Amino acid sequence: MEKPKLSFWQIWNLSFGFLGVQIGYSLQNGNTSRILEALGADVHSIGYFWLAAPLAGLIVQPIIGLSSDKTWTRLGRRIPFIFGGAIVSALAMFFMPNAEYFTYLLPPLVFGATMLLLMDTSFNVTMQPFRALVGDMVNDEQRNLGYSLQSALINFGAVFGSLLPWILAKLGIANVPAEGEKVASSVIWSFYIGGGILLLSVLWTVFRTKEYAPKEHALYNKIDLEANEKKEKASIFSLIGNAPKIFWQLGFVQFFSWFSLFLMWVYTTRAIANQVWGPDAIDAKSIGFNEAGDWTGVMFAFYSAVAALYSLLIPKIAKAIGRKKVYSFSLLLGGIGLISMMLVEDKNVLLLSISGVGLAWAAILAMPYAMLSGSLPADKMGVYMGLFNATITLPQITAGILGSTLIAFFGGNPMTIIVIAGVSMLIAGLAVFFVKQNSDTE
């Protein structure tokens, strides 16, 4: 028996909580370097602090995936993890920008880094089941729509999250730390608002989504529950060994695309501060640097808006020319956009450069999962999605370790790192052509 066809709004509800999670994630991406520099971190070592995020994902997501595959509660199998992770994420968001007020516990930089680790770990707990939830609930015919709609919601959330500090500054909330303080009020209030929206949007998914019960899930996915119970428990290593070939091929593409994204997230603020604002932005507490931080948020919001709109077009484009071509061309345009930033000294023109990243980002969020999910066993969807997350986290760990070395090698110029990010994205785009699947439009 095939899975039922879901209405547009049922698919929307499956992923609506991701909207809030991405608001939080975007606030983290756009403001972590800014907050850590204000707390005392040096630009040459800041990439090490960012390692907290991919390390958390590498460890947590396979565990959460395996656990959610085997969990059945009144709320479902994935939703308890989504809800629990959202609560912890919001709490960490409330505390991180206020690290300077907890000196009686830890030095501000240590407290801020600890909250970053807690925040990203809980983001991972929340995000991983959302990927598996779409795979569980959506049939093959609607898979492109399911993951593209999830990508659109992610990017609508990213637009708001990225713009929030800039919006609050325009509304008159202080964009520069007050005398004796380290973090601007606009950033602190952004994290408060983002954390609140995260909780509310996840609650929408919790109460508007009913997961298939075990017997229904088994019936729709042709799983023999009795036979499964008699099977020996598979270890993580055996699952990795039995992963379909497309898992590894997409993993290669993922490595270079996420290596690129990590470098972009970490170094964009300092890169554009140096190139566009110049000497006025040397001090992390200066007006110039904080304006560059706000403009980084605007740029990230712009590429997310491009991605959100492009995500809605991806199902039709993929049907016409195939998933591989959509995926590859999008990554190539992202690489060109990043490389072009080295030629730009006008902050408004940077929006044109970053728009290419928007096309790449939409494809990265949708295409690998649409291509992979059809090749995974339904009873192990969660754990394989968790393991696939290593193709996101390992390149970020690599970039975090190499970032300080690269920036030192190129004379401390962060814009050179953005160019390297662009080259990495181009490699990812070319690698897509070597991915083998049963059908390019399946």
Side-chain angles (χ1 to χ4, degrees), residues 341-360:
M341 286 173 63
M342 70 179 295
L343 305 174
V344 178
E345 294 184 359
D346 184 324
K347 68 177 186 178
N348 295 302
V349 179
L350 285 171
L351 297 178
L352 180 61
S353 296
I354 207 73
S355 62
V357 176
L359 302 178

Side-chain angles (χ1 to χ4, degrees), residues 382-395:
V383 67
Y384 269 119
M385 285 294 185
L387 290 170
F388 190 63
N389 189 65
T391 67
I392 296 173
T393 56
L394 288 175

Side-chain angles (χ1 to χ4, degrees), residues 112-157:
T114 302
M115 286 301 103
L116 173 62
L117 176 61
L118 181 62
M119 182 166 55
D120 205 86
T121 300
S122 49
F123 279 154
N124 277 284
V125 171
T126 307
M127 289 190 292
Q128 195 284 331
F130 269 116
R131 299 289 190 197
L133 185 62
V134 173
D136 289 342
M137 301 291 292
V138 176
N139 63 29
D140 289 345
E141 181 185 344
Q142 295 182 300
R143 206 180 336 139
N144 279 351
L145 175 62
Y147 284 111
S148 295
L149 186 55
Q150 187 173 87
S151 176
L153 282 165
I154 288 170
N155 283 297
F156 285 128

Side-chain angles (χ1 to χ4, degrees), residues 133-409:
L133 185 62
V134 173
D136 289 342
M137 301 291 292
V138 176
N139 63 29
D140 289 345
E141 181 185 344
Q142 295 182 300
R143 206 180 336 139
N144 279 351
L145 175 62
Y147 284 111
S148 295
L149 186 55
Q150 187 173 87
S151 176
L153 282 165
I154 288 170
N155 283 297
F156 285 128
V159 171
F160 183 74
S162 299
L163 279 177
L164 197 48
W166 181 80
I167 291 170
L168 294 181
K170 292 296 182 184
L171 292 174
I173 296 177
N175 185 38
V176 178
E179 185 71 29
E181 296 182 349
K182 298 180 183 295
V183 181
S185 294
S186 60
V187 175
I188 294 173
W189 276 100
S190 294
F191 275 67
Y192 290 164
I193 295 168
I197 295 174
L198 188 159
L199 282 176
L200 291 174
S201 64
V202 165
L203 283 171
W204 180 274
T205 289
V206 170
F207 290 112
R208 304 288 292 185
T209 298
K210 183 179 180 183
E211 296 186 64
Y212 297 132
K215 289 184 179 178
E216 286 179 297
H217 181 263
L219 182 64
Y220 292 144
N221 292 285
K222 302 175 178 62
I223 301 170
D224 188 335
L225 288 177
E226 292 184 6
N228 267 17
E229 288 176 3
K230 293 177 183 177
K231 286 181 183 177
E232 293 182 10
K233 292 182 179 179
S235 70
I236 294 291
F237 295 107
S238 66
L239 289 168
I240 292 172
N242 293 321
K245 187 179 292 186
I246 193 173
F247 181 99
W248 302 107
Q249 294 169 338
L250 287 171
F252 186 82
V253 177
Q254 289 272 90
F255 181 91
F256 286 98
S257 55
W258 283 92
F259 184 88
S260 172
L261 290 169
F262 186 89
L263 292 177
M264 180 192 73
W265 289 330
V266 174
Y267 293 104
T268 294
T269 295
R270 178 49 71 184
I272 68 168
N274 290 359
Q275 183 155 306
V276 178
W277 277 265
D280 294 335
I282 293 173
D283 186 349
K285 296 180 183 178
S286 66
I287 294 175
F289 181 77
N290 280 282
E291 286 181 350
D294 283 347
W295 196 252
T296 296
V298 172
M299 289 171 62
F300 286 5
F302 189 80
Y303 87 66
S304 297
V306 171
L309 297 174
Y310 186 50
S311 295
L312 299 176
L313 300 175
I314 282 178
K316 290 184 178 180
I317 299 173
K319 188 174 182 180
I321 67 173
R323 291 174 184 155
K324 282 174 62 173
K325 289 179 181 177
V326 172
Y327 193 15
S328 178
F329 294 155
S330 301
L331 293 177
L332 292 172
L333 290 172
I336 292 169
L338 285 170
I339 293 170
S340 72
M341 286 173 63
M342 70 179 295
L343 305 174
V344 178
E345 294 184 359
D346 184 324
K347 68 177 186 178
N348 295 302
V349 179
L350 285 171
L351 297 178
L352 180 61
S353 296
I354 207 73
S355 62
V357 176
L359 302 178
W361 180 236
I364 288 167
L365 291 175
M367 288 295 95
Y369 301 97
M371 294 167 74
L372 177 65
S373 59
S375 301
L376 298 177
D379 58 328
K380 295 182 176 63
M381 180 74 70
V383 67
Y384 269 119
M385 285 294 185
L387 290 170
F388 190 63
N389 189 65
T391 67
I392 296 173
T393 56
L394 288 175
Q396 292 184 70
I397 292 168
T398 305
I401 293 171
L402 292 179
S404 60
T405 303
L406 289 171
I407 200 168
F409 181 79

